[in-house]
Amino acid sequence: MAGRADEGPRPGQPPDRWSQELLDHLRPAVRDPRRVVTWLGHTVGAAVCLQDAHGRLLAGERLPLDAGVLADVVTGRIAAAALQDGARHVRMAGIRHPEQAPAAGAVLAVARPGPFDRRAAEIVARTAGVLELLLREQELSDAGRRLRRATADLRLAILQLLMVEETVSARRVAAGLWPGLLEEDTARVYVVEGSPAERDALADACADATEGRALVVRCPAMDGHVIVVSPGQGAGQRLRALVGGRPGTYLGGSLRQRLARTAAAYGQAVSALAVARFRPDQAAVYAERTHPERLMDPALLGTWSAGVLRPLDALPHHIRAELLATTRLGLEFTAVSAAKVLGVSRNTVRARMDRVEALLGADFSTLTTRAAAHLALNTEAARESYGLAPDPAAPHPPAPVRLADLLASPALCAWAEDLLGRLDGDGRDLRRTLRAWIAADANAERAARELGVHAQTVREHVRAAEPVLERQLLAGGSDLGEIVLAHLATGALPAPVLHDQGANRGQAGAVVHK
């Protein structure tokens, strides 16, 4: 009777309990080959080993196995084997792999002191079938993850090329997987912000919303940000609808820019994101507001920026472009963030910026100098993107243009006074705090000592000024640069001193920008 019980259920009888337990391991929530191997060991009272065709242990415990029989199973000469090895009874079953047939992709080995009756043998055979399914699913899942990672890396590489104005290379890289994605000469950049823990799901939602017609990248610098570069139309409306249904998620968008100006568009999107946090619909597009450079004489501005950057003109073109692009990003964000965006080390970014500092005779640790250098770099980038870069071989202007000449524009002074005047309505004297904070190069402790208040008060005042000015200040970048230029234009802060080595050869240390 015991022997008959081991033969399994007769036709029409319900299946044994072990069959249901084995099937339960196929439920999505518990699919794991290691759990199946553990279950098998408990069910048949045996030691179990699951290893791949190369002998790597996948689950269970390492077992000494007959090398000849194991080789026959691995190569597919036999599908399964049963043998007695000393005091042990061993069963081996090949786990098939559709791409390696007839060879096995893995081997299930089960060893126990007593012989395998019919029930135990059937359990081992059925378990091998379940493991085949689970291992195949795991392999496909791993391949899918590798593909998604490779695709994400490729998207990031395209973004990094756009950030340094390598639009031709970016198009070539994109053409293989996303034909036509960057055919347009212009694009808008959007930054979607959510919690870091949900960013992968947010990125997938952004890709779905833009229907594959935009470059969707997980920001390498900010854990909660997703960057969307959209050459086409309609992405903004779809992303707004996406953000509107997600609490704690915000959208900032840029103006339409040439692809070569992707870095500038990214800065605009980040700036708009700061405004979006105060909007009920959680979204904002960079306002077509008045920028200080537009209130300056274009010819004077072009001559001044060319003069400031002339020390770099003697460099090979590719080195000059690399230094300018890196420094623009480093001034727009931070050296660490720029390094993540560009895919280089932060030491590389700092070394490039140090070289530009040395060539320009500038000190990027001061906010006024950073604002002036940023103005020159952005002016140069705008000119080059439209093919208007000055000829390096052109003669130097007879009278170098000074920064003070640019700041003296009546329209610029009126703009600056109107902008900073927005702060006068606050009884906390935010304008005074902001001026002291900028003079202290964004060091809250130094500004607090100057004002006789606590450093936290300084930070709170600066933070309170952001929505009033509609600009992001604590994060630095072009928004802060505009506010610094406004202080320079009103005379609230002294203009920085820059040395133009190119315009004054033979006059070492001559000050030409004041």
Side-chain angles (χ1 to χ4, degrees):
M1 291 183 63
R4 290 182 179 177
D6 287 336
E7 292 178 359
R10 298 189 184 90
Q13 288 184 331
D16 289 342
R17 181 178 177 183
W18 66 264
S19 300
Q20 186 60 50
E21 291 177 352
L22 183 57
L23 288 175
D24 285 344
H25 285 284
L26 292 174
R27 290 185 292 113
V30 295
R31 289 175 186 168
D32 185 350
R34 293 170 297 182
R35 291 171 60 98
V36 175
V37 166
T38 300
W39 171 86
L40 175 60
H42 289 313
T43 303
V44 299
V48 183
C49 169
L50 177 64
Q51 62 185 52
D52 65 16
H54 303 288
R56 183 171 62 94
L57 185 66
L58 301 177
E61 58 185 282
R62 180 72 66 182
L63 296 178
L65 301 173
D66 184 282
V69 176
L70 178 62
D72 287 341
V73 174
V74 169
T75 58
R77 282 193 288 267
I78 58 176
L83 65 152
Q84 184 172 357
D85 185 4
R88 300 183 312 153
H89 293 265
V90 180
R91 289 253 172 178
M92 283 188 248
I95 308 295
R96 294 178 300 173
H97 190 287
E99 297 176 5
Q100 299 175 7
V107 175
L108 174 66
V110 185
R112 70 179 191 174
F116 287 80
D117 51 37
R118 183 173 178 179
R119 173 180 177 276
E122 184 180 0
I123 292 174
V124 172
R126 295 283 184 87
T127 302
V130 169
L131 286 172
E132 179 182 339
L133 295 175
L134 295 182
L135 290 176
R136 183 58 176 162
E137 182 197 41
Q138 190 177 75
E139 181 183 19
L140 293 175
S141 297
D142 292 343
R145 280 192 292 270
R146 288 194 297 270
L147 179 60
R148 287 192 294 272
R149 178 60 185 271
T151 304
D153 290 345
L154 188 58
R155 289 193 182 103
L156 176 58
I158 295 170
L159 176 66
Q160 289 169 341
L161 288 170
L162 292 175
M163 285 288 193
V164 294
E165 304 176 21
E166 293 284 353
T167 55
V168 174
S169 298
R171 284 189 171 111
R172 287 174 180 169
V173 175
L177 288 180
W178 303 284
L181 177 63
L182 299 179
E183 283 184 354
E184 300 289 336
D185 290 329
T186 62
R188 292 180 185 269
V189 175
Y190 299 91
V191 176
V192 186
E193 180 183 66
S195 68
E198 298 177 353
R199 184 170 68 164
D200 287 348
L202 183 60
D204 292 340
C206 290
D208 291 340
T210 53
E211 300 176 345
R213 294 195 290 267
L215 182 67
V216 179
V217 182
R218 292 161 178 79
C219 178
M222 301 296 293
D223 290 340
H225 286 187
V226 176
I227 303 170
V228 180
V229 181
S230 173
Q233 305 290 337
Q237 184 176 357
R238 296 188 188 97
L239 292 174
R240 279 179 178 270
L242 171 67
V243 167
R246 292 172 175 257
T249 307
Y250 306 95
L251 171 68
S254 76
L255 301 175
R256 183 163 288 278
Q257 297 278 5
R258 290 171 61 88
L259 285 178
R261 296 273 291 159
T262 298
Y266 173 53
Q268 290 180 352
V270 172
S271 178
L273 189 63
V275 179
R277 298 188 185 101
F278 301 99
R279 294 280 183 84
D281 61 352
Q282 304 163 218
V285 174
Y286 190 77
E288 185 60 75
R289 63 197 186 202
T290 302
H291 298 284
E293 63 270 21
R294 297 183 182 178
L295 301 175
M296 301 174 183
D297 183 290
L300 290 180
L301 178 59
T303 301
W304 172 79
S305 64
V308 168
L309 301 177
R310 186 164 287 119
L312 283 77
D313 292 346
L315 299 173
H317 175 74
H318 70 283
I319 294 179
R320 180 181 185 273
E322 182 180 71
L323 292 178
L324 291 180
T326 301
T327 304
R328 271 199 307 274
L329 283 175
L331 294 176
E332 180 69 38
F333 305 103
T334 65
V336 174
S337 295
K340 293 178 179 178
V341 170
L342 293 174
V344 298
S345 72
R346 59 185 178 183
N347 289 336
T348 298
V349 171
R350 287 176 177 139
R352 292 174 185 174
M353 294 183 69
D354 288 345
R355 187 175 182 185
V356 173
E357 273 188 301
L359 288 170
L360 302 186
D363 180 7
F364 291 160
S365 66
T366 63
L367 287 184
T368 52
T369 300
R370 289 175 71 92
H374 206 185
L375 175 63
L377 289 166
N378 285 339
T379 301
E380 182 78 354
R383 289 168 61 91
E384 289 184 349
S385 68
Y386 288 95
L388 301 175
D391 184 0
H396 299 160
V401 178
R402 304 177 304 162
L403 180 59
D405 298 330
L406 300 175
L407 297 175
S409 164
L412 180 65
C413 293
W415 165 84
E417 190 56 50
D418 178 69
L419 177 62
L420 299 179
R422 300 180 191 177
L423 301 173
D424 294 339
D426 195 296
R428 293 171 291 180
D429 203 351
L430 300 182
R431 187 167 179 174
R432 175 171 174 262
T433 303
L434 184 58
R435 180 174 64 248
W437 181 72
I438 293 174
D441 298 319
N443 187 304
E445 286 74 15
R446 282 169 47 197
R449 288 194 296 269
E450 179 69 23
L451 297 171
V453 298
H454 195 278
Q456 186 59 30
T457 300
V458 173
R459 296 186 187 95
E460 290 174 356
H461 284 194
V462 174
R463 194 172 290 109
E466 289 185 325
V468 178
L469 299 173
E470 294 186 340
R471 283 162 174 83
Q472 195 170 223
L473 303 177
L474 291 170
S478 57
D479 277 8
L480 177 57
E482 289 187 3
I483 300 303
V484 173
L485 290 176
H487 281 83
L488 297 178
T490 61
L493 293 173
V497 176
L498 301 176
H499 298 271
D500 185 352
Q501 300 170 0
N504 291 271
R505 289 198 181 102
Q507 303 176 38
V511 178
V512 295
H513 301 290
K514 299 181 180 178

